[in-house]
Amino acid sequence: MAATSDTDTPPSTITVLDVAREAGVSPSTVSRILNGTARVTSDKRQAVEEAIRKLDFRPNLFARSLKTGTTMTVGILTQDVESPFYGRAMKGIEAGLTGTGYAPIIVSGHWNADEEAERVRLLMARRIDGLVILTGHLDDRQIAEFARHQPIVVTGRHLDAPQVRAFAFDQEGGGYLATRHLLSLGHRSIAHIAGPADHTDATERRAGYERALREAGVPLRPELVVQGDFMESGGLLAMNRLLDSGQPFTAVFAANDQTAFGARMAMYRRGVRVPDDVSILGVDDLPGAAYATPPMTTIRQPIYELGLAVAQALLGMLGHPVAQTPVPPLELVVRETTRRL
């Protein structure tokens, strides 16, 4: 019977001893290289990496977690996995984790505080090493309590607590910037399709809208403020209510791009031309904004950069110092859906 070589061994039975023998180094050197704690010469590291590839070695992550107390996984609590906003943020997180050995576990809380808390407990039961919370309705006290068990990075709020890093944009400033742009173009009848009243981002953007009107000496007309839900369907319904009200307006500040997309569909169906009849802008600068017809003016949120910075912050809290990517501020991106009166 023909003899079998080491490389004929099924990958699941290849051990650190096999890799060490193939590379000509000690098993402890292989283990330290795998754990990222080894200080070895480049030729030894190259020999180990070549042996791993040749033998198709796959470390037993469960056994390693028992030994090191880490699972090399991080939890990500998002709100809507279908949302283009959260998709961009998670793409940034994924890029920040690339090459680190950490794998993300993604769950959705659907903007429900009880569901979010249940999802966090589920992640913690899986012994994640750290947690990212992308906005949501958990209160600060709950987040601080969860942070007693592992590091947490949270977005969309200001929170100072042990083992917590928080990132937040100036949403009030974003609403102010959007409305000031419309005012600078000569608009005085400016409608606002607001986001959900229980979302901090939405209430702060509305506050910025109202501040810009006050500073310009333009009376706030409550009949021009209609409720949306941050979704395209909500923007469409809100715009229909505005048009049906008979109230005159020449511009609309939509609480986010998805709302603006829906509002534009409603205007298209009613024969209202953008920007000839009505100017409109949103918030986020989602990828589709630049390719709409016409391309949409918006307030850019650096969502991808935020995700990248969040991942880097969490890695730092886990003992892996990495360079921190600066998160740019919100900025106005002028395209073709706003015009001067």
Side-chain angles (χ1 to χ4, degrees), residues 57-93:
F57 173 65
R58 300 168 190 173
N60 187 325
L61 296 180
F62 177 72
R64 185 192 297 182
S65 71
L66 292 177
K67 183 177 181 180
T68 65
T70 63
T71 62
M72 300 303 290
T73 57
V74 295
I76 302 175
L77 172 63
T78 182
Q79 298 304 319
D80 182 0
V81 294
E82 293 184 342
S83 163
F85 176 91
Y86 290 109
R88 288 288 292 166
M90 287 189 284
K91 191 174 182 67
I93 293 173

PDB file of all heavy atoms in Angstrom, residues 57-93:
ATOM      1  N   PHE A  57      -3.536  24.425   7.255  1.00  0.00           N
ATOM      2  CA  PHE A  57      -3.804  24.391   8.695  1.00  0.00           C
ATOM      3  C   PHE A  57      -4.878  25.395   9.058  1.00  0.00           C
ATOM      4  O   PHE A  57      -4.859  26.554   8.629  1.00  0.00           O
ATOM      5  CB  PHE A  57      -2.515  24.716   9.471  1.00  0.00           C
ATOM      6  CG  PHE A  57      -2.725  24.871  10.955  1.00  0.00           C
ATOM      7  CD1 PHE A  57      -3.122  23.792  11.724  1.00  0.00           C
ATOM      8  CD2 PHE A  57      -2.528  26.102  11.563  1.00  0.00           C
ATOM      9  CE1 PHE A  57      -3.306  23.925  13.089  1.00  0.00           C
ATOM     10  CE2 PHE A  57      -2.704  26.248  12.935  1.00  0.00           C
ATOM     11  CZ  PHE A  57      -3.096  25.162  13.692  1.00  0.00           C
ATOM     12  N   ARG A  58      -5.848  24.954   9.860  1.00  0.00           N
ATOM     13  CA  ARG A  58      -6.920  25.822  10.334  1.00  0.00           C
ATOM     14  C   ARG A  58      -6.960  25.741  11.856  1.00  0.00           C
ATOM     15  O   ARG A  58      -7.302  24.690  12.406  1.00  0.00           O
ATOM     16  CB  ARG A  58      -8.263  25.392   9.745  1.00  0.00           C
ATOM     17  CG  ARG A  58      -8.273  25.457   8.215  1.00  0.00           C
ATOM     18  CD  ARG A  58      -9.476  24.777   7.624  1.00  0.00           C
ATOM     19  NE  ARG A  58      -9.341  24.652   6.172  1.00  0.00           N
ATOM     20  CZ  ARG A  58     -10.192  23.972   5.415  1.00  0.00           C
ATOM     21  NH1 ARG A  58     -11.223  23.354   5.963  1.00  0.00           N
ATOM     22  NH2 ARG A  58     -10.005  23.911   4.107  1.00  0.00           N
ATOM     23  N   PRO A  59      -6.608  26.824  12.524  1.00  0.00           N
ATOM     24  CA  PRO A  59      -6.570  26.790  13.992  1.00  0.00           C
ATOM     25  C   PRO A  59      -7.935  26.442  14.575  1.00  0.00           C
ATOM     26  O   PRO A  59      -8.980  26.817  14.032  1.00  0.00           O
ATOM     27  CB  PRO A  59      -6.161  28.218  14.369  1.00  0.00           C
ATOM     28  CG  PRO A  59      -5.516  28.777  13.152  1.00  0.00           C
ATOM     29  CD  PRO A  59      -6.209  28.135  11.991  1.00  0.00           C
ATOM     30  N   ASN A  60      -7.915  25.733  15.677  1.00  0.00           N
ATOM     31  CA  ASN A  60      -9.135  25.410  16.413  1.00  0.00           C
ATOM     32  C   ASN A  60      -9.493  26.615  17.265  1.00  0.00           C
ATOM     33  O   ASN A  60      -8.946  26.821  18.345  1.00  0.00           O
ATOM     34  CB  ASN A  60      -8.910  24.168  17.290  1.00  0.00           C
ATOM     35  CG  ASN A  60     -10.197  23.693  17.944  1.00  0.00           C
ATOM     36  OD1 ASN A  60     -11.051  24.493  18.305  1.00  0.00           O
ATOM     37  ND2 ASN A  60     -10.316  22.382  18.095  1.00  0.00           N
ATOM     38  N   LEU A  61     -10.406  27.436  16.751  1.00  0.00           N
ATOM     39  CA  LEU A  61     -10.738  28.679  17.442  1.00  0.00           C
ATOM     40  C   LEU A  61     -11.388  28.431  18.794  1.00  0.00           C
ATOM     41  O   LEU A  61     -11.202  29.194  19.739  1.00  0.00           O
ATOM     42  CB  LEU A  61     -11.658  29.527  16.563  1.00  0.00           C
ATOM     43  CG  LEU A  61     -11.056  30.007  15.241  1.00  0.00           C
ATOM     44  CD1 LEU A  61     -12.076  30.830  14.473  1.00  0.00           C
ATOM     45  CD2 LEU A  61      -9.791  30.824  15.487  1.00  0.00           C
ATOM     46  N   PHE A  62     -12.164  27.354  18.895  1.00  0.00           N
ATOM     47  CA  PHE A  62     -12.804  27.066  20.176  1.00  0.00           C
ATOM     48  C   PHE A  62     -11.759  26.735  21.234  1.00  0.00           C
ATOM     49  O   PHE A  62     -11.809  27.242  22.364  1.00  0.00           O
ATOM     50  CB  PHE A  62     -13.788  25.908  20.023  1.00  0.00           C
ATOM     51  CG  PHE A  62     -14.446  25.502  21.312  1.00  0.00           C
ATOM     52  CD1 PHE A  62     -15.412  26.309  21.895  1.00  0.00           C
ATOM     53  CD2 PHE A  62     -14.091  24.323  21.954  1.00  0.00           C
ATOM     54  CE1 PHE A  62     -16.016  25.946  23.090  1.00  0.00           C
ATOM     55  CE2 PHE A  62     -14.686  23.953  23.145  1.00  0.00           C
ATOM     56  CZ  PHE A  62     -15.655  24.762  23.713  1.00  0.00           C
ATOM     57  N   ALA A  63     -10.787  25.890  20.849  1.00  0.00           N
ATOM     58  CA  ALA A  63      -9.738  25.538  21.807  1.00  0.00           C
ATOM     59  C   ALA A  63      -8.921  26.766  22.179  1.00  0.00           C
ATOM     60  O   ALA A  63      -8.552  26.960  23.339  1.00  0.00           O
ATOM     61  CB  ALA A  63      -8.838  24.453  21.211  1.00  0.00           C
ATOM     62  N   ARG A  64      -8.655  27.633  21.181  1.00  0.00           N
ATOM     63  CA  ARG A  64      -7.880  28.832  21.479  1.00  0.00           C
ATOM     64  C   ARG A  64      -8.645  29.756  22.426  1.00  0.00           C
ATOM     65  O   ARG A  64      -8.068  30.364  23.322  1.00  0.00           O
ATOM     66  CB  ARG A  64      -7.558  29.579  20.186  1.00  0.00           C
ATOM     67  CG  ARG A  64      -6.651  30.780  20.427  1.00  0.00           C
ATOM     68  CD  ARG A  64      -6.578  31.684  19.215  1.00  0.00           C
ATOM     69  NE  ARG A  64      -5.996  31.018  18.058  1.00  0.00           N
ATOM     70  CZ  ARG A  64      -5.801  31.640  16.898  1.00  0.00           C
ATOM     71  NH1 ARG A  64      -6.159  32.900  16.746  1.00  0.00           N
ATOM     72  NH2 ARG A  64      -5.279  30.993  15.884  1.00  0.00           N
ATOM     73  N   SER A  65      -9.968  29.853  22.231  1.00  0.00           N
ATOM     74  CA  SER A  65     -10.750  30.733  23.094  1.00  0.00           C
ATOM     75  C   SER A  65     -10.738  30.256  24.531  1.00  0.00           C
ATOM     76  O   SER A  65     -10.727  31.056  25.469  1.00  0.00           O
ATOM     77  CB  SER A  65     -12.187  30.834  22.574  1.00  0.00           C
ATOM     78  OG  SER A  65     -12.884  29.620  22.775  1.00  0.00           O
ATOM     79  N   LEU A  66     -10.752  28.934  24.727  1.00  0.00           N
ATOM     80  CA  LEU A  66     -10.690  28.407  26.087  1.00  0.00           C
ATOM     81  C   LEU A  66      -9.345  28.739  26.738  1.00  0.00           C
ATOM     82  O   LEU A  66      -9.273  29.018  27.935  1.00  0.00           O
ATOM     83  CB  LEU A  66     -10.896  26.884  26.065  1.00  0.00           C
ATOM     84  CG  LEU A  66     -12.286  26.384  25.666  1.00  0.00           C
ATOM     85  CD1 LEU A  66     -12.300  24.867  25.620  1.00  0.00           C
ATOM     86  CD2 LEU A  66     -13.341  26.908  26.639  1.00  0.00           C
ATOM     87  N   LYS A  67      -8.307  28.729  25.937  1.00  0.00           N
ATOM     88  CA  LYS A  67      -6.970  28.962  26.472  1.00  0.00           C
ATOM     89  C   LYS A  67      -6.707  30.437  26.711  1.00  0.00           C
ATOM     90  O   LYS A  67      -6.117  30.821  27.722  1.00  0.00           O
ATOM     91  CB  LYS A  67      -5.926  28.390  25.503  1.00  0.00           C
ATOM     92  CG  LYS A  67      -4.485  28.525  26.004  1.00  0.00           C
ATOM     93  CD  LYS A  67      -3.512  27.865  25.040  1.00  0.00           C
ATOM     94  CE  LYS A  67      -2.080  27.979  25.532  1.00  0.00           C
ATOM     95  NZ  LYS A  67      -1.128  27.334  24.602  1.00  0.00           N
ATOM     96  N   THR A  68      -7.138  31.296  25.782  1.00  0.00           N
ATOM     97  CA  THR A  68      -6.804  32.720  25.861  1.00  0.00           C
ATOM     98  C   THR A  68      -7.898  33.558  26.496  1.00  0.00           C
ATOM     99  O   THR A  68      -7.671  34.707  26.864  1.00  0.00           O
ATOM    100  CB  THR A  68      -6.518  33.282  24.455  1.00  0.00           C
ATOM    101  OG1 THR A  68      -7.713  33.220  23.672  1.00  0.00           O
ATOM    102  CG2 THR A  68      -5.408  32.496  23.778  1.00  0.00           C
ATOM    103  N   GLY A  69      -9.114  33.007  26.586  1.00  0.00           N
ATOM    104  CA  GLY A  69     -10.227  33.787  27.120  1.00  0.00           C
ATOM    105  C   GLY A  69     -10.812  34.748  26.114  1.00  0.00           C
ATOM    106  O   GLY A  69     -11.615  35.614  26.468  1.00  0.00           O
ATOM    107  N   THR A  70     -10.435  34.648  24.841  1.00  0.00           N
ATOM    108  CA  THR A  70     -10.977  35.497  23.779  1.00  0.00           C
ATOM    109  C   THR A  70     -11.591  34.619  22.699  1.00  0.00           C
ATOM    110  O   THR A  70     -11.189  33.466  22.514  1.00  0.00           O
ATOM    111  CB  THR A  70      -9.892  36.382  23.149  1.00  0.00           C
ATOM    112  OG1 THR A  70      -8.913  35.548  22.516  1.00  0.00           O
ATOM    113  CG2 THR A  70      -9.228  37.248  24.209  1.00  0.00           C
ATOM    114  N   THR A  71     -12.573  35.181  21.992  1.00  0.00           N
ATOM    115  CA  THR A  71     -13.225  34.442  20.914  1.00  0.00           C
ATOM    116  C   THR A  71     -12.920  35.014  19.544  1.00  0.00           C
ATOM    117  O   THR A  71     -13.338  34.451  18.535  1.00  0.00           O
ATOM    118  CB  THR A  71     -14.754  34.465  21.116  1.00  0.00           C
ATOM    119  OG1 THR A  71     -15.207  35.824  21.067  1.00  0.00           O
ATOM    120  CG2 THR A  71     -15.145  33.849  22.454  1.00  0.00           C
ATOM    121  N   MET A  72     -12.217  36.162  19.491  1.00  0.00           N
ATOM    122  CA  MET A  72     -11.911  36.843  18.235  1.00  0.00           C
ATOM    123  C   MET A  72     -13.195  37.182  17.456  1.00  0.00           C
ATOM    124  O   MET A  72     -13.215  37.151  16.235  1.00  0.00           O
ATOM    125  CB  MET A  72     -10.957  36.008  17.378  1.00  0.00           C
ATOM    126  CG  MET A  72      -9.620  35.723  18.030  1.00  0.00           C
ATOM    127  SD  MET A  72      -8.731  37.237  18.494  1.00  0.00           S
ATOM    128  CE  MET A  72      -8.297  37.897  16.895  1.00  0.00           C
ATOM    129  N   THR A  73     -14.256  37.484  18.180  1.00  0.00           N
ATOM    130  CA  THR A  73     -15.493  37.937  17.557  1.00  0.00           C
ATOM    131  C   THR A  73     -15.942  39.229  18.228  1.00  0.00           C
ATOM    132  O   THR A  73     -15.710  39.441  19.422  1.00  0.00           O
ATOM    133  CB  THR A  73     -16.625  36.897  17.687  1.00  0.00           C
ATOM    134  OG1 THR A  73     -16.842  36.608  19.076  1.00  0.00           O
ATOM    135  CG2 THR A  73     -16.288  35.624  16.949  1.00  0.00           C
ATOM    136  N   VAL A  74     -16.576  40.093  17.451  1.00  0.00           N
ATOM    137  CA  VAL A  74     -17.156  41.315  18.003  1.00  0.00           C
ATOM    138  C   VAL A  74     -18.615  41.378  17.552  1.00  0.00           C
ATOM    139  O   VAL A  74     -18.954  40.976  16.440  1.00  0.00           O
ATOM    140  CB  VAL A  74     -16.403  42.584  17.541  1.00  0.00           C
ATOM    141  CG1 VAL A  74     -14.984  42.573  18.081  1.00  0.00           C
ATOM    142  CG2 VAL A  74     -16.403  42.718  16.033  1.00  0.00           C
ATOM    143  N   GLY A  75     -19.458  41.853  18.436  1.00  0.00           N
ATOM    144  CA  GLY A  75     -20.864  41.982  18.124  1.00  0.00           C
ATOM    145  C   GLY A  75     -21.164  43.348  17.520  1.00  0.00           C
ATOM    146  O   GLY A  75     -20.558  44.349  17.914  1.00  0.00           O
ATOM    147  N   ILE A  76     -22.084  43.396  16.569  1.00  0.00           N
ATOM    148  CA  ILE A  76     -22.547  44.656  15.991  1.00  0.00           C
ATOM    149  C   ILE A  76     -24.059  44.684  16.093  1.00  0.00           C
ATOM    150  O   ILE A  76     -24.749  43.865  15.477  1.00  0.00           O
ATOM    151  CB  ILE A  76     -22.117  44.814  14.519  1.00  0.00           C
ATOM    152  CG1 ILE A  76     -20.600  44.740  14.389  1.00  0.00           C
ATOM    153  CG2 ILE A  76     -22.636  46.131  13.959  1.00  0.00           C
ATOM    154  CD1 ILE A  76     -20.106  44.778  12.958  1.00  0.00           C
ATOM    155  N   LEU A  77     -24.571  45.604  16.903  1.00  0.00           N
ATOM    156  CA  LEU A  77     -26.011  45.796  17.004  1.00  0.00           C
ATOM    157  C   LEU A  77     -26.395  46.931  16.070  1.00  0.00           C
ATOM    158  O   LEU A  77     -26.060  48.094  16.307  1.00  0.00           O
ATOM    159  CB  LEU A  77     -26.412  46.137  18.442  1.00  0.00           C
ATOM    160  CG  LEU A  77     -27.880  46.541  18.648  1.00  0.00           C
ATOM    161  CD1 LEU A  77     -28.811  45.387  18.288  1.00  0.00           C
ATOM    162  CD2 LEU A  77     -28.122  47.001  20.072  1.00  0.00           C
ATOM    163  N   THR A  78     -27.053  46.584  14.984  1.00  0.00           N
ATOM    164  CA  THR A  78     -27.555  47.582  14.047  1.00  0.00           C
ATOM    165  C   THR A  78     -29.057  47.716  14.271  1.00  0.00           C
ATOM    166  O   THR A  78     -29.611  47.113  15.191  1.00  0.00           O
ATOM    167  CB  THR A  78     -27.226  47.194  12.593  1.00  0.00           C
ATOM    168  OG1 THR A  78     -27.683  48.213  11.714  1.00  0.00           O
ATOM    169  CG2 THR A  78     -27.866  45.878  12.208  1.00  0.00           C
ATOM    170  N   GLN A  79     -29.732  48.511  13.440  1.00  0.00           N
ATOM    171  CA  GLN A  79     -31.178  48.660  13.597  1.00  0.00           C
ATOM    172  C   GLN A  79     -31.954  48.074  12.437  1.00  0.00           C
ATOM    173  O   GLN A  79     -33.065  47.601  12.609  1.00  0.00           O
ATOM    174  CB  GLN A  79     -31.529  50.145  13.786  1.00  0.00           C
ATOM    175  CG  GLN A  79     -30.917  50.773  15.018  1.00  0.00           C
ATOM    176  CD  GLN A  79     -31.263  50.041  16.291  1.00  0.00           C
ATOM    177  OE1 GLN A  79     -32.389  49.607  16.490  1.00  0.00           O
ATOM    178  NE2 GLN A  79     -30.288  49.876  17.168  1.00  0.00           N
ATOM    179  N   ASP A  80     -31.362  48.097  11.260  1.00  0.00           N
ATOM    180  CA  ASP A  80     -32.056  47.603  10.071  1.00  0.00           C
ATOM    181  C   ASP A  80     -31.008  47.141   9.070  1.00  0.00           C
ATOM    182  O   ASP A  80     -30.307  47.967   8.480  1.00  0.00           O
ATOM    183  CB  ASP A  80     -32.924  48.715   9.475  1.00  0.00           C
ATOM    184  CG  ASP A  80     -33.709  48.254   8.249  1.00  0.00           C
ATOM    185  OD1 ASP A  80     -33.579  47.079   7.854  1.00  0.00           O
ATOM    186  OD2 ASP A  80     -34.455  49.071   7.686  1.00  0.00           O
ATOM    187  N   VAL A  81     -30.902  45.832   8.880  1.00  0.00           N
ATOM    188  CA  VAL A  81     -29.845  45.308   8.014  1.00  0.00           C
ATOM    189  C   VAL A  81     -30.083  45.674   6.554  1.00  0.00           C
ATOM    190  O   VAL A  81     -29.161  45.601   5.742  1.00  0.00           O
ATOM    191  CB  VAL A  81     -29.725  43.769   8.157  1.00  0.00           C
ATOM    192  CG1 VAL A  81     -29.245  43.390   9.533  1.00  0.00           C
ATOM    193  CG2 VAL A  81     -31.053  43.077   7.843  1.00  0.00           C
ATOM    194  N   GLU A  82     -31.310  46.079   6.191  1.00  0.00           N
ATOM    195  CA  GLU A  82     -31.586  46.471   4.812  1.00  0.00           C
ATOM    196  C   GLU A  82     -31.325  47.947   4.557  1.00  0.00           C
ATOM    197  O   GLU A  82     -31.335  48.388   3.409  1.00  0.00           O
ATOM    198  CB  GLU A  82     -33.051  46.156   4.454  1.00  0.00           C
ATOM    199  CG  GLU A  82     -33.374  44.670   4.409  1.00  0.00           C
ATOM    200  CD  GLU A  82     -34.794  44.415   3.947  1.00  0.00           C
ATOM    201  OE1 GLU A  82     -35.611  45.352   3.996  1.00  0.00           O
ATOM    202  OE2 GLU A  82     -35.070  43.278   3.530  1.00  0.00           O
ATOM    203  N   SER A  83     -31.082  48.716   5.604  1.00  0.00           N
ATOM    204  CA  SER A  83     -30.908  50.151   5.461  1.00  0.00           C
ATOM    205  C   SER A  83     -29.594  50.475   4.759  1.00  0.00           C
ATOM    206  O   SER A  83     -28.529  49.983   5.158  1.00  0.00           O
ATOM    207  CB  SER A  83     -30.920  50.819   6.839  1.00  0.00           C
ATOM    208  OG  SER A  83     -30.378  52.123   6.782  1.00  0.00           O
ATOM    209  N   PRO A  84     -29.624  51.321   3.720  1.00  0.00           N
ATOM    210  CA  PRO A  84     -28.362  51.716   3.076  1.00  0.00           C
ATOM    211  C   PRO A  84     -27.463  52.500   4.021  1.00  0.00           C
ATOM    212  O   PRO A  84     -26.249  52.465   3.882  1.00  0.00           O
ATOM    213  CB  PRO A  84     -28.820  52.565   1.887  1.00  0.00           C
ATOM    214  CG  PRO A  84     -30.213  52.992   2.205  1.00  0.00           C
ATOM    215  CD  PRO A  84     -30.798  51.904   3.047  1.00  0.00           C
ATOM    216  N   PHE A  85     -28.046  53.210   4.979  1.00  0.00           N
ATOM    217  CA  PHE A  85     -27.241  53.949   5.957  1.00  0.00           C
ATOM    218  C   PHE A  85     -26.416  52.978   6.791  1.00  0.00           C
ATOM    219  O   PHE A  85     -25.192  53.101   6.891  1.00  0.00           O
ATOM    220  CB  PHE A  85     -28.147  54.787   6.867  1.00  0.00           C
ATOM    221  CG  PHE A  85     -27.406  55.503   7.974  1.00  0.00           C
ATOM    222  CD1 PHE A  85     -26.923  56.789   7.787  1.00  0.00           C
ATOM    223  CD2 PHE A  85     -27.194  54.893   9.196  1.00  0.00           C
ATOM    224  CE1 PHE A  85     -26.237  57.446   8.796  1.00  0.00           C
ATOM    225  CE2 PHE A  85     -26.512  55.538  10.211  1.00  0.00           C
ATOM    226  CZ  PHE A  85     -26.035  56.820  10.010  1.00  0.00           C
ATOM    227  N   TYR A  86     -27.072  51.998   7.385  1.00  0.00           N
ATOM    228  CA  TYR A  86     -26.349  51.041   8.226  1.00  0.00           C
ATOM    229  C   TYR A  86     -25.452  50.137   7.392  1.00  0.00           C
ATOM    230  O   TYR A  86     -24.415  49.669   7.879  1.00  0.00           O
ATOM    231  CB  TYR A  86     -27.331  50.227   9.071  1.00  0.00           C
ATOM    232  CG  TYR A  86     -27.985  51.060  10.143  1.00  0.00           C
ATOM    233  CD1 TYR A  86     -29.321  51.419  10.065  1.00  0.00           C
ATOM    234  CD2 TYR A  86     -27.254  51.533  11.225  1.00  0.00           C
ATOM    235  CE1 TYR A  86     -29.921  52.203  11.031  1.00  0.00           C
ATOM    236  CE2 TYR A  86     -27.836  52.326  12.201  1.00  0.00           C
ATOM    237  CZ  TYR A  86     -29.171  52.653  12.100  1.00  0.00           C
ATOM    238  OH  TYR A  86     -29.750  53.441  13.057  1.00  0.00           O
ATOM    239  N   GLY A  87     -25.849  49.904   6.146  1.00  0.00           N
ATOM    240  CA  GLY A  87     -24.980  49.122   5.273  1.00  0.00           C
ATOM    241  C   GLY A  87     -23.637  49.798   5.071  1.00  0.00           C
ATOM    242  O   GLY A  87     -22.587  49.143   5.089  1.00  0.00           O
ATOM    243  N   ARG A  88     -23.649  51.130   4.871  1.00  0.00           N
ATOM    244  CA  ARG A  88     -22.402  51.870   4.712  1.00  0.00           C
ATOM    245  C   ARG A  88     -21.563  51.819   5.990  1.00  0.00           C
ATOM    246  O   ARG A  88     -20.340  51.667   5.946  1.00  0.00           O
ATOM    247  CB  ARG A  88     -22.695  53.321   4.351  1.00  0.00           C
ATOM    248  CG  ARG A  88     -23.200  53.545   2.953  1.00  0.00           C
ATOM    249  CD  ARG A  88     -22.118  53.341   1.917  1.00  0.00           C
ATOM    250  NE  ARG A  88     -21.079  54.364   1.995  1.00  0.00           N
ATOM    251  CZ  ARG A  88     -19.891  54.271   1.397  1.00  0.00           C
ATOM    252  NH1 ARG A  88     -19.602  53.198   0.704  1.00  0.00           N
ATOM    253  NH2 ARG A  88     -19.010  55.250   1.488  1.00  0.00           N
ATOM    254  N   ALA A  89     -22.227  51.969   7.137  1.00  0.00           N
ATOM    255  CA  ALA A  89     -21.504  51.935   8.406  1.00  0.00           C
ATOM    256  C   ALA A  89     -20.856  50.571   8.626  1.00  0.00           C
ATOM    257  O   ALA A  89     -19.687  50.481   9.034  1.00  0.00           O
ATOM    258  CB  ALA A  89     -22.452  52.264   9.559  1.00  0.00           C
ATOM    259  N   MET A  90     -21.585  49.505   8.332  1.00  0.00           N
ATOM    260  CA  MET A  90     -21.043  48.163   8.540  1.00  0.00           C
ATOM    261  C   MET A  90     -19.919  47.860   7.554  1.00  0.00           C
ATOM    262  O   MET A  90     -18.994  47.110   7.868  1.00  0.00           O
ATOM    263  CB  MET A  90     -22.157  47.124   8.461  1.00  0.00           C
ATOM    264  CG  MET A  90     -23.064  47.153   9.685  1.00  0.00           C
ATOM    265  SD  MET A  90     -24.250  45.796   9.783  1.00  0.00           S
ATOM    266  CE  MET A  90     -25.453  46.318   8.558  1.00  0.00           C
ATOM    267  N   LYS A  91     -19.997  48.452   6.363  1.00  0.00           N
ATOM    268  CA  LYS A  91     -18.896  48.285   5.404  1.00  0.00           C
ATOM    269  C   LYS A  91     -17.618  48.905   5.961  1.00  0.00           C
ATOM    270  O   LYS A  91     -16.526  48.353   5.817  1.00  0.00           O
ATOM    271  CB  LYS A  91     -19.274  48.922   4.067  1.00  0.00           C
ATOM    272  CG  LYS A  91     -18.328  48.594   2.920  1.00  0.00           C
ATOM    273  CD  LYS A  91     -18.849  49.146   1.617  1.00  0.00           C
ATOM    274  CE  LYS A  91     -17.942  48.776   0.450  1.00  0.00           C
ATOM    275  NZ  LYS A  91     -17.932  47.340   0.172  1.00  0.00           N
ATOM    276  N   GLY A  92     -17.750  50.062   6.618  1.00  0.00           N
ATOM    277  CA  GLY A  92     -16.598  50.685   7.254  1.00  0.00           C
ATOM    278  C   GLY A  92     -16.052  49.856   8.398  1.00  0.00           C
ATOM    279  O   GLY A  92     -14.835  49.716   8.572  1.00  0.00           O
ATOM    280  N   ILE A  93     -16.940  49.284   9.201  1.00  0.00           N
ATOM    281  CA  ILE A  93     -16.512  48.420  10.303  1.00  0.00           C
ATOM    282  C   ILE A  93     -15.776  47.203   9.760  1.00  0.00           C
ATOM    283  O   ILE A  93     -14.720  46.805  10.272  1.00  0.00           O
ATOM    284  CB  ILE A  93     -17.722  47.990  11.150  1.00  0.00           C
ATOM    285  CG1 ILE A  93     -18.325  49.200  11.871  1.00  0.00           C
ATOM    286  CG2 ILE A  93     -17.317  46.920  12.166  1.00  0.00           C
ATOM    287  CD1 ILE A  93     -19.623  48.904  12.597  1.00  0.00           C
TER     288      ILE A  93
END
